[in-house]
Amino acid sequence: MSPSILIVGATGNTGQAVVETLPKLLQSSNALSDHRVIALTRSSKSPVAQTLAKVPGVEVIEKNWVDITSDWLREHQVTRAFIAPHNNTNAFTEESTFHIAALNAGIKYVVRISTTATNVRADSPAFYARTHWAVEALLSSPEFTNLQWTSLQPNIFSAFYLSRAVEFIKHYRKTGKQGHLKLIVSKDAPVGIIDSSEVGVFAAHLLSQEDPSVHNKAKYVLNGPEDITGQQMVNLIEQYIDTQVEKVSYQDTSFIEQIWEHQYAGTNESKSVISSLKYALVTAWEGKCSTSTTSKAVLEIAAPKITLNETLKGLLEE
């Protein structure tokens, strides 16, 4: 069995692009051309998993990543890994368990997905952002010296930022009625939203580096190629519906209540903790998430190219 690079969450919004991009990069590598790509998924029968299984050099394996052990990693000869962890309240427990398994298995390099850079701090009001800070603190500790790692900190994914716009346009096209456009964005603050696939492409480039040591302990901020404000988003929506938006609200966080009701109300989770998700948007409203924050390495290695309009068109076709 040849050595492998593990992609956790291979069918997710970033993982899929990693799996699609990485094999081609490995082919031209002197040191890694013999490596397989393991695409991990909870359902190998899903359409995305079946598509990835057809990519040359990719092996799809059905397994829940939270059950990965050091023995499993050694058995599959994993030398590097990518992980896009979930944002549930137990995220630190489960992701740190994965990293401990990776460390004990002798994995040399891990690329992980973090969150908005300005939120990754010990005093962040948003619970999941503190989780990412804690994981990065763990990986920075002396005990993890033998495990090299990089955290990718995309400011805001386009699909999330544009979701309300997509719903509004689809509803108008179907019914001819507008309703109330409620946007999570600030009216005037520029935000460099990024298509999740471009984060995966950059991760693939890192994983294919023959010597990743230059990226060890790096925290790279990723944005798309252009900024957008809430007002500009409204202008764009008006182009798609060919009329003026009649009623719009900015900085709307009512969706948090919907998340609570549909996902957590019947659980033992704390409503106050889940509701802290709304604070994650504040730094974007303050103008701290513009394209000016993009890390130099991102622009040099795999600069994002997908425009806002291209992403919006794709979402409307789904």
Side-chain angles (χ1 to χ4, degrees), residues 229-246:
T229 65
Q231 182 62 64
Q232 290 171 332
M233 188 179 296
V234 172
N235 295 342
L236 185 60
I237 291 171
E238 291 176 340
Q239 293 178 28
Y240 275 87
I241 64 174
D242 198 28
T243 188
Q244 286 188 329
V245 172
E246 297 170 355

Side-chain angles (χ1 to χ4, degrees), residues 23-33 210:
K24 297 177 182 178
L25 297 174
L26 296 179
Q27 289 176 4
S28 59
S29 170
N30 294 324
L32 303 171
S33 59
E210 294 188 8

Side-chain angles (χ1 to χ4, degrees), residues 169-228:
I169 294 170
K170 285 185 175 181
H171 178 75
Y172 181 79
R173 287 177 171 177
K174 184 178 180 179
T175 67
K177 299 179 180 179
Q178 290 196 21
H180 185 181
L181 177 59
K182 299 179 180 181
L183 299 175
I184 64 173
V185 303
S186 163
K187 182 178 181 179
D188 300 313
V191 180
I193 61 177
I194 184 168
D195 191 287
S196 59
S197 66
E198 303 226 74
V199 179
V201 169
F202 180 69
H205 277 79
L206 293 182
L207 289 165
S208 66
Q209 298 285 308
E210 294 188 8
D211 179 12
S213 60
V214 66
H215 305 292
N216 186 29
K217 295 182 174 62
K219 303 170 188 178
Y220 292 136
V221 179
L222 295 94
N223 294 289
E226 57 188 352
D227 286 320
I228 186 170

Side-chain angles (χ1 to χ4, degrees), residues 50-297:
Q50 292 181 351
T51 298
L52 295 178
K54 299 175 183 178
V55 178
V58 172
E59 177 185 1
V60 173
I61 294 180
E62 187 174 299
K63 187 177 181 65
N64 191 336
W65 69 269
V66 301
D67 297 323
I68 287 175
T69 63
S70 296
D71 287 341
W72 188 92
L73 293 169
R74 283 190 289 263
E75 176 187 347
H76 291 82
Q77 296 188 38
V78 178
T79 64
R80 300 182 181 191
F82 166 86
I83 179 170
H86 59 72
N87 285 327
N88 294 330
T89 55
N90 64 340
F92 177 81
T93 301
E94 295 192 333
E95 189 184 351
S96 62
T97 298
F98 172 83
H99 292 305
I100 289 172
L103 175 68
N104 292 332
I107 288 181
K108 300 302 180 184
Y109 182 49
V110 172
V111 177
R112 65 178 299 274
I113 301 296
S114 181
T115 190
T116 308
T118 53
N119 289 337
V120 184
R121 60 184 197 271
D123 65 341
S124 175
F127 76 90
Y128 77 92
R130 293 195 305 275
T131 293
H132 285 291
W133 169 84
V135 170
E136 292 176 357
L138 174 93
L139 293 172
S140 299
S141 66
E143 291 83 355
F144 278 82
T145 299
N146 291 333
L147 177 62
Q148 298 186 79
W149 59 277
T150 303
S151 264
L152 306 187
Q153 300 177 330
N155 273 331
I156 297 176
F157 286 141
S158 303
F160 171 67
Y161 219 54
L162 294 173
S163 60
R164 296 290 185 84
V166 172
E167 292 173 5
F168 186 86
I169 294 170
K170 285 185 175 181
H171 178 75
Y172 181 79
R173 287 177 171 177
K174 184 178 180 179
T175 67
K177 299 179 180 179
Q178 290 196 21
H180 185 181
L181 177 59
K182 299 179 180 181
L183 299 175
I184 64 173
V185 303
S186 163
K187 182 178 181 179
D188 300 313
V191 180
I193 61 177
I194 184 168
D195 191 287
S196 59
S197 66
E198 303 226 74
V199 179
V201 169
F202 180 69
H205 277 79
L206 293 182
L207 289 165
S208 66
Q209 298 285 308
E210 294 188 8
D211 179 12
S213 60
V214 66
H215 305 292
N216 186 29
K217 295 182 174 62
K219 303 170 188 178
Y220 292 136
V221 179
L222 295 94
N223 294 289
E226 57 188 352
D227 286 320
I228 186 170
T229 65
Q231 182 62 64
Q232 290 171 332
M233 188 179 296
V234 172
N235 295 342
L236 185 60
I237 291 171
E238 291 176 340
Q239 293 178 28
Y240 275 87
I241 64 174
D242 198 28
T243 188
Q244 286 188 329
V245 172
E246 297 170 355
K247 186 177 182 181
V248 59
S249 296
Y250 298 100
Q251 298 180 204
D252 180 83
T253 60
S254 59
F255 71 96
I256 302 295
E257 185 65 27
Q258 296 172 2
I259 290 176
W260 167 256
E261 291 179 357
H262 294 138
Q263 293 183 234
Y264 298 102
T267 70
N268 293 323
E269 298 288 358
S270 162
K271 185 174 183 179
S272 62
V273 170
I274 301 302
S275 297
S276 72
L277 287 167
K278 62 187 176 185
Y279 298 113
L281 295 166
V282 173
T283 52
W285 298 341
E286 294 173 339
K288 297 178 180 178
C289 299
S290 70
T291 56
S292 64
T293 64
T294 305
S295 296
K296 182 180 179 182

